[in-house]
């Protein structure tokens, strides 16, 4: 089990307020666009490298399975999608305004928020029930990221159909 090194959520209605100190993270949408997004950062590549070093440096440790598990606090017909995000944020300071399409540097071709572009979606949560663990398989997406020598992985969980949910951090 690998826990995130950072986790938070950002919210459209509080665009300049860091929410990383909250006990629960939330996702939501309005008119098909995300309004609350969960952000989680994992150091998968670094962890695999450390394990390889611990076991003699043979390079035999690899990713076999990766699942993201969340504990919803509300029912919803669609629990959201998961896609890769940049890892240049900190839990204590991440805010909505820094992660709008185009981001801090105004690159209009860069998507920083989950935006449900089918080619970028790593997995989806279907219907979720409150207080029942849900999981999505991210194995294929993470293997591709690791093979491209990206040691840090950020994932965003967003929802775009008017449904909403939250997760315990």
């Amino acid at each position: 089990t690998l826990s995130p090194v950072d986790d938070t959520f950002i919210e459209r209605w509080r665009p300049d307020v860091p929410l990383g100190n909250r006990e629960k993270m939330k996702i939501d949408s309005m008119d098909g666009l995300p309004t609350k997004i969960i952000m989680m950062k994992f150091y998968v590549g670094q962890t695999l490298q450390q394990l390889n070093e611990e076991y003699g440096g043979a390079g035999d440790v690899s990713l076999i399975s990766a699942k993201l598990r969340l504990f919803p606090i509300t029912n919803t017909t669609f629990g959201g999608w998961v896609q890769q995000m940049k890892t240049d944020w900190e839990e204590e300071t991440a805010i909505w305004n820094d992660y709008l399409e185009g981001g801090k540097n105004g690159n209009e071709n860069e998507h920083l928020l989950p935006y449900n572009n089918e080619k970028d979606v790593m997995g989806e949560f279907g219907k979720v029930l409150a207080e029942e663990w849900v999981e999505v398989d991210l194995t294929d997406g993470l293997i591709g990221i690791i093979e491209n020598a990206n040691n840090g992985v950020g994932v965003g969980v967003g929802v775009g159909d008017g449904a909403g949910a939250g997760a315990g951090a």
Side-chain angles (χ1 to χ4, degrees):
T1 301
L2 185 63
S3 296
V5 293
D6 274 327
D7 60 14
T8 188
F9 76 100
I10 55 177
E11 184 176 271
R12 178 180 178 189
W13 314 123
R14 294 183 275 183
D16 295 315
V17 177
L19 301 167
N21 63 348
R22 304 297 169 105
E23 183 178 320
K24 296 175 182 167
M25 299 182 294
K26 300 177 182 179
I27 63 171
D28 205 352
S29 71
M30 179 181 283
D31 298 327
L33 298 172
T35 57
K36 296 178 186 174
I37 295 168
I38 295 174
M39 299 165 61
M40 290 175 277
K41 189 186 315 181
F42 299 88
Y43 290 145
V44 179
Q46 289 176 348
T47 302
L48 290 173
Q49 184 177 7
Q50 288 171 351
L51 289 170
N52 273 314
E53 289 170 6
E54 284 179 32
Y55 292 101
D60 292 338
V61 177
S62 61
L63 180 68
I64 295 173
S65 176
K67 296 178 181 174
L68 177 62
R69 293 187 58 176
L70 297 176
F71 191 76
I73 57 175
T74 58
N75 296 328
T76 184
T77 57
F78 179 64
W81 63 83
V82 180
Q83 60 192 77
Q84 183 180 359
M85 294 183 76
K86 290 186 167 266
T87 59
D88 63 347
W89 54 272
E90 300 296 327
E91 175 176 315
E92 299 83 17
T93 58
I95 59 173
W96 181 270
N97 280 346
D98 286 344
Y99 291 91
L100 294 174
E101 189 173 314
K104 296 179 186 181
N105 300 321
N107 180 356
E108 62 189 51
N109 296 319
E110 184 173 24
H111 295 275
L112 300 174
L113 294 177
Y115 57 97
N116 197 18
N117 181 337
E118 211 170 283
K119 71 179 179 70
D120 295 325
V121 171
M122 296 171 66
E124 319 187 321
F125 294 101
K127 180 179 181 179
V128 299
L129 300 175
E131 300 185 12
E132 290 188 18
W133 284 100
V134 295
E135 67 181 34
V136 63
D137 190 337
L138 303 178
T139 307
D140 291 341
L142 287 178
I143 287 174
I145 292 166
I146 292 166
E147 287 174 353
N148 290 320
N150 186 345
N151 288 327
V153 177
V155 295
V157 181
V159 62
D161 71 344

